[in-house]
């Protein structure tokens, strides 16, 4: 009888404690903003995105100090597959209480995640994917396209190559949404400038490592410029194999339409020297970019400086959390679209991109920069790879609002 009574007392105490514990957990969750960093953690885009993006998000949180609410960060590998990325996004939103997803390189995955974020009324801050469709036909009140896009890259690098005499082009294009958009946007600039597109070939993604047959087709076209509408390891392999074939020695120009500083590092200056490319962030651009790099670099993989994608994750997280603080956690969690609206109403300013703004179509505006990769003799040391050729203003760098066909923008 005593055992039974004791058991009842213990059970009663546990039952009494459980609601208080559960209530405390619920209160903590209600006062927590949960950010999911979704990207390539193991494949083609790991170095330019991957763990470094998560580190940069955590840096933004640390710099904001006491916000009056908690911030939790989770990360996952989408393996550059739309089905995997979609499953993770739905699980995060439906089960795990994630309020905002950041990064998401690979445009096919990005477009899928944008649709899910809109369906679930959550926040999606894209830094890694390039397709300009994210602020065009696929724009959403829940999405901000933060760092760069295919229109910007096409105008910057493509336009510069045509002005320099590269008036005939052949494209080697990664066969998914990003590659298609980059080829399309660049071809439009080439033709508008009086140039010609002599052909293109599409390469399987992911998984292509041998670009020899595609380079032979490009050479056979007799185009002055081979446009590489790819990224990451695909770009690195394309440039290396083009050098082995001696294409540049024969006068053919390579247009790396999306080249990151990590790609240049992998190639080495001996191979990459002279490449013209467009980026929106370079660690050694000015005092603010150098200061950010100094704060984050010790935690970065291989002690590398941030890429523009990783810097974009820092900048986007910083601005989002400022908006949450201004509007309140409850309101931000209740409606991702309202949180994005608040972000659009606030000017942006940070050490990655300086002052900027977010347009009604979700396009984040900041300057872009045309760089040339230095010769080995010009470099002062590790990661000193770029010299600035031209600065493109925020207003000129991205597609005009009226030309995007974004359905949420009223004409």
């Amino acid at each position: 009888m005593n055992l039974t009574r004791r058991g009842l007392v213990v059970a009663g105490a546990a039952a009494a404690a459980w609601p208080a514990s559960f209530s405390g957990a619920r209160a903590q969750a209600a006062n927590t903003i949960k950010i999911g960093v979704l990207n390539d953690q193991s494949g083609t885009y790991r170095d330019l995105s991957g763990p470094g993006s998560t580190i940069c998000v955590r840096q933004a949180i640390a710099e904001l100090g006491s916000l009056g609410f908690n911030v939790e960060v989770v990360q996952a590998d989408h393996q550059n597959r739309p089905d995997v990325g979609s499953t993770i996004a739905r699980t995060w939103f439906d089960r795990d209480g994630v309020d905002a997803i950041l990064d998401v390189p690979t445009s096919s995955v990005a477009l899928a995640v944008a649709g899910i974020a809109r369906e679930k009324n959550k926040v999606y801050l894209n830094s890694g994917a390039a397709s300009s469709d994210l602020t065009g036909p696929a724009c959403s009140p829940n999405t901000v396209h933060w760092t760069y896009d295919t229109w910007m890259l096409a105008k910057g690098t493509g336009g510069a190559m045509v002005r320099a005499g590269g008036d005939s082009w052949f494209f080697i294009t990664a066969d998914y949404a990003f590659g298609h958009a980059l080829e399309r946007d660049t071809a439009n600039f080439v033709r508008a400038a009086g140039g010609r597109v002599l052909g293109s070939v599409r390469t399987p993604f992911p998984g292509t490592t041998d670009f020899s047959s595609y380079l032979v087709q490009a050479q056979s076209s007799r185009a002055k410029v081979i446009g590489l509408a790819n990224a990451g390891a695909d770009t690195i392999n394309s440039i290396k194999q083009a050098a082995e074939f001696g294409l540049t020695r024969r006068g053919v120009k390579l247009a790396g339409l999306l080249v990151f500083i990590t790609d240049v590092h992998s190639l080495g200056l001996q191979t990459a020297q002279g490449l013209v490319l467009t980026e929106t962030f370079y660690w050694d651009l000015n005092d603010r970019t150098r200061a950010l790099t100094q704060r984050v670099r010790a935690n970065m993989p291989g002690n590398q400086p941030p890429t523009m994608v990783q810097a974009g994750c820092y900048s986007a997280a910083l601005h989002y959390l400022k908006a949450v603080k201004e509007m309140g956690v409850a309101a931000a969690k209740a409606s991702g679209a309202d949180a994005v609206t608040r972000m659009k109403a606030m000017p942006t300013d940070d050490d990655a991109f300086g002052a900027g703004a977010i347009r009604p179509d979700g396009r984040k505006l900041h300057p872009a920069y045309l760089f040339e990769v230095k010769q080995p003799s010009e470099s002062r040391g590790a990661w000193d790879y770029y010299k600035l050729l031209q600065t493109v203003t925020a207003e000129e760098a991205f597609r005009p609002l009226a030309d995007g066909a974004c359905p949420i923008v009223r004409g």
Side-chain angles (χ1 to χ4, degrees):
M1 184 71 174
N2 287 339
L3 288 173
T4 304
R5 189 172 295 145
R6 188 178 297 115
L8 288 172
V9 169
V10 171
W18 181 82
S21 174
F22 182 68
S23 177
R26 288 187 63 181
Q28 183 173 350
N31 198 42
T32 298
I33 289 293
K34 197 167 185 179
I35 294 173
V37 181
L38 180 60
N39 59 26
D40 180 354
Q41 297 274 326
S42 57
T44 300
Y45 302 144
R46 183 184 190 279
D47 290 345
L48 63 91
S49 174
S53 291
T54 306
I55 290 165
C56 287
V57 168
R58 294 188 186 279
Q59 178 65 34
I61 296 167
E63 289 180 18
L64 287 168
S66 178
L67 289 164
F69 56 90
N70 306 311
V71 184
E72 183 179 346
V73 179
V74 295
Q75 64 182 13
D77 186 347
H78 63 38
Q79 302 172 40
N80 299 307
R81 291 173 51 187
D83 58 334
V84 173
S86 296
T87 299
I88 293 169
R90 287 190 182 278
T91 301
W92 274 355
F93 290 149
D94 291 342
R95 187 192 71 187
D96 297 339
V98 168
D99 300 294
I101 291 179
L102 268 74
D103 202 3
V104 198
T106 310
S107 292
S108 52
V109 184
L111 291 163
V113 171
I116 295 167
R118 184 171 190 172
E119 174 191 337
K120 303 296 182 181
N121 196 16
K122 301 291 185 177
V123 173
Y124 173 40
L125 308 176
N126 176 275
S127 182
S131 175
S132 59
D133 289 350
L134 285 165
T135 53
C139 73
S140 160
N142 299 74
T143 295
V144 181
H145 199 174
W146 205 267
T147 306
Y148 70 107
D149 63 30
T150 53
W151 195 96
M152 180 214 82
L153 297 168
K155 180 179 183 182
T157 306
M161 297 292 283
V162 175
R163 288 193 300 272
D167 57 3
S168 60
W169 286 60
F170 186 98
F171 289 94
I172 296 177
T173 302
D175 193 12
Y176 72 105
F178 153 69
H180 301 168
L182 188 51
E183 178 187 329
R184 175 198 67 206
D185 290 345
T186 307
N188 287 341
F189 276 107
V190 169
R191 294 188 183 104
R196 297 175 298 149
V197 176
L198 303 183
S200 66
V201 62
R202 292 183 172 178
T203 64
F205 177 87
T208 304
T209 56
D210 184 358
F211 288 84
S212 57
S213 63
Y214 310 120
L215 290 164
V216 167
Q217 291 183 57
Q219 184 181 13
S220 299
S221 74
R222 300 185 181 277
K224 295 179 182 177
V225 179
I226 299 175
L228 302 177
N230 51 23
D234 286 356
T235 300
I236 293 168
N237 288 329
S238 299
I239 294 172
K240 282 182 176 178
Q241 291 169 32
E244 291 168 2
F245 279 25
L247 293 185
T248 54
R249 291 196 302 271
R250 300 188 187 107
V252 177
K253 299 291 186 182
L254 292 180
L257 298 172
L258 179 53
V259 177
F260 294 90
I261 194 168
T262 45
D263 302 332
V264 174
H265 187 71
S266 295
L267 288 164
L269 291 183
Q270 192 63 46
T271 299
Q273 61 182 309
L275 275 174
V276 174
L277 55 96
T278 303
E279 296 219 46
T280 55
F281 172 87
Y282 175 47
W283 73 271
D284 200 22
L285 183 66
N286 55 49
D287 288 344
R288 296 187 74 177
T289 59
R290 285 187 286 271
L292 170 61
T293 300
Q294 185 175 7
R295 294 196 300 272
V296 75
R297 192 167 181 175
N299 296 316
M300 294 291 286
N303 200 38
Q304 74 174 50
T307 64
M308 70 170 167
V309 167
Q310 294 159 346
C313 289
Y314 160 85
S315 174
L318 198 72
H319 193 66
Y320 168 61
L321 293 172
K322 287 177 181 177
V324 173
K325 184 175 182 179
E326 186 175 287
M327 69 188 298
V329 174
K333 292 177 76 69
S335 172
D338 286 351
V340 169
T341 297
R342 183 62 61 96
M343 293 174 71
K344 291 176 180 178
M346 299 167 57
T348 65
D349 192 15
D350 56 70
D351 284 349
F353 304 105
I358 303 172
R359 285 193 323 205
D361 61 350
R363 175 68 261 165
K364 164 67 164 55
L365 300 177
H366 44 245
Y369 307 94
L370 187 68
F371 294 109
E372 182 179 332
V373 177
K374 291 181 174 181
Q375 298 175 17
S377 60
E378 296 174 306
S379 177
R380 297 166 296 174
W383 300 98
D384 177 31
Y385 295 156
Y386 294 168
K387 52 186 176 184
L388 180 63
L389 299 180
Q390 181 183 346
T391 298
V392 184
T393 66
E395 293 73 25
E396 296 175 335
F398 295 97
R399 180 179 57 205
L401 179 64
D403 295 345
C406 170
I408 65 171
V409 176
R410 294 178 181 177

